[in-house]
């Protein structure tokens, strides 16, 4: 699921939430491979800056659509991959 996140310079950046069923392996390589694939396949402005790996399925509506508004509203600190910094950072949650 891809959602917008606030950005001080551009107004918004792209954040992708990725559900990985087996979270027992380090995600560094997966993040770089996924972003390389996105860079080859998408326009530059569509390539996510942030990746957040999830161990559980997404929140869903009764019709099984992903509740993106819940992903945007996450308030808990989380560990995310920052493409620009090429590494893990801690996101402090919704800043709005």
């Amino acid at each position: 699921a891809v959602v917008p996140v606030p950005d001080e310079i551009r107004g918004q950046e792209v954040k992708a939430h990725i559900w990985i069923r087996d979270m027992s392996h380090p995600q560094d390589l997966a993040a770089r491979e996924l972003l390389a694939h996105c860079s080859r396949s998408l326009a530059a402005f569509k390539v996510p800056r942030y990746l957040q790996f999830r161990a559980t399925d997404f929140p869903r509506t009764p019709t099984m659509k992903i509740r993106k508004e819940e992903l945007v509203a996450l308030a808990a600190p989380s560990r995310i991959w920052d493409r620009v910094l090429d590494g893990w950072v801690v996101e402090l949650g919704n800043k709005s």
Side-chain angles (χ1 to χ4, degrees):
V2 178
V3 297
V5 291
D7 181 72
E8 292 178 11
I9 297 171
R10 294 176 185 84
Q12 289 183 334
E13 275 286 0
V14 179
K15 179 179 178 183
H17 292 261
I18 297 129
W19 175 28
I20 296 182
R21 293 180 182 168
D22 181 8
M23 292 287 283
S24 63
H25 302 290
Q27 304 304 319
D28 296 10
L29 184 59
R32 288 187 179 105
E33 287 178 359
L34 181 59
L35 289 169
H37 173 75
C38 289
S39 295
R40 289 189 304 269
S41 305
L42 300 171
F45 70 93
K46 293 182 179 181
V47 176
R49 174 169 179 180
Y50 304 107
L51 300 177
Q52 181 170 8
F53 294 99
R54 304 172 51 89
T56 60
D57 194 3
F58 298 100
R60 298 198 180 258
T61 68
T63 60
M64 296 306 292
K65 291 183 179 180
I66 296 172
R67 291 184 187 267
K68 290 186 178 184
E69 67 277 1
E70 288 186 27
L71 297 177
V72 171
L74 290 175
S78 57
R79 189 170 171 250
I80 62 173
W81 184 269
D82 185 328
R83 174 178 48 88
V84 173
L85 298 177
D86 193 37
W88 294 105
V89 296
V90 174
E91 178 185 46
L92 298 178
N94 189 356
K95 298 174 182 90
S96 57

